[in-house]
Amino acid sequence: TEHTYRPALKTFLESFGGRIVATNEPKHVKCGAPDFIVTVKDISQGYVEAKDIGVALDNEEKSEQLQRYRASLRNLVLTNYLEFR
């Protein structure tokens, strides 16, 4: 399932810098609950929504969930662990 790969995704996201923290399943925000929030020094830098490996991101981009996230979140990454958008 998509949760299986989250520890590896957290490690990957945090590998970009010593002060980056990727929090898995952060508290809900107004538009929903993205899978990760990425912060630097406790300041939000963006969000990550992870789908299961191999899920077609073209379809996911059109979902109600992603439309809601894109309208509300200033920096959002969508991934299926193999592709990042």
Side-chain angles (χ1 to χ4, degrees):
T1 68
E2 74 181 57
H3 290 79
T4 303
Y5 305 102
R6 287 196 185 170
L9 181 57
K10 176 180 173 54
T11 299
F12 174 70
L13 294 169
E14 291 176 346
S15 74
F16 289 100
R19 296 182 178 205
I20 294 173
V21 176
T23 303
N24 184 20
E25 295 190 7
K27 66 180 179 177
H28 287 247
V29 292
K30 190 174 183 178
C31 63
D35 296 319
F36 283 90
I37 184 171
V38 178
T39 58
V40 175
K41 295 183 180 180
D42 295 324
I43 299 171
S44 171
Q45 301 298 310
Y47 298 86
V48 178
E49 179 61 24
K51 300 301 179 187
D52 204 1
I53 235 174
V55 167
L57 296 184
D58 289 339
N59 296 333
E60 293 299 324
E61 284 183 336
K62 298 172 190 170
S63 72
E64 182 272 331
Q65 177 191 37
L66 261 290
Q67 289 177 14
R68 191 175 66 244
Y69 286 177
R70 289 170 68 190
S72 299
L73 303 174
R74 65 177 177 83
N75 192 9
L76 175 69
V77 174
L78 173 63
T79 185
N80 61 7
Y81 299 97
L82 301 174
E83 182 180 355
F84 293 81
R85 296 184 182 182

